[in-house]
Amino acid sequence: MPRSEVISVGALTMEFLVEGTDSDGSVSQFVVGVPEGARVPAPHFHDAYEETLFGLEGTVTWTVGGEEHRVGPGEALCIRRGVVHGFTNPGPGPARQLVTVAPGVLGPDFFRELGAVVAAAADGPPDQAAIGAVMRRHGLTPAAL
């Protein structure tokens, strides 16, 4: 069932299409919007789920386990549990990707909480300890790429 809420984390946007509660926990799925120049707030890994990305528009460069992968329209990338990853959109232009998380343990609350931490920083850098706490609470582990 499509959702209408668009969640912002800084310049990134997320719109959930399927939450874990919709699928009996088997999957969650959302579209992420990545403006040119945007990057993941913090490189991380997760032990509880796989994350599969499918390019819809533009190209996002993912660093997964130290290797770069460019994901453009019609291309897919599966990030396995425990592998450190992050991304950037060097441009040109914005990008959108469909993200599937299986099992569906990651939901919109993670992005709402993370967005609140980023918004609280106003024009300054966000509180890294607070970002780490939100990530850990939702099954992500901060790491350095």
Side-chain angles (χ1 to χ4, degrees):
M1 175 168 135
R3 311 275 180 203
S4 60
E5 177 186 14
V6 175
I7 303 166
S8 295
V9 178
L12 305 175
T13 59
M14 273 63 58
E15 184 174 3
F16 272 78
L17 305 173
V18 178
E19 294 181 32
T21 55
D22 298 326
S23 67
D24 224 8
S26 66
V27 68
S28 61
Q29 194 170 59
F30 57 93
V31 174
V32 61
V34 186
E36 183 175 341
R39 61 184 180 80
V40 71
H44 61 280
F45 65 92
H46 23 78
D47 290 324
Y49 58 87
E50 266 72 48
E51 181 175 16
T52 301
L53 317 153
F54 181 80
L56 300 173
E57 172 187 342
T59 300
V60 174
T61 300
W62 286 83
T63 302
V64 180
E67 294 182 24
E68 282 196 0
H69 304 268
R70 292 177 51 84
V71 179
E75 298 175 324
L77 175 66
C78 180
I79 301 171
R80 299 206 177 271
R81 299 171 195 218
V83 180
V84 175
H85 57 283
F87 66 82
T88 185
N89 176 2
R96 289 182 340 121
Q97 294 192 325
L98 178 66
V99 180
T100 303
V101 173
V105 296
L106 184 69
D109 286 345
F110 166 69
F111 296 106
R112 289 184 194 116
E113 291 178 31
L114 192 59
V117 171
V118 172
D123 292 329
D127 179 340
Q128 294 301 308
I131 287 175
V134 170
M135 291 175 76
R136 284 187 283 282
R137 196 165 38 254
H138 291 274
L140 291 85
T141 302
L145 282 177

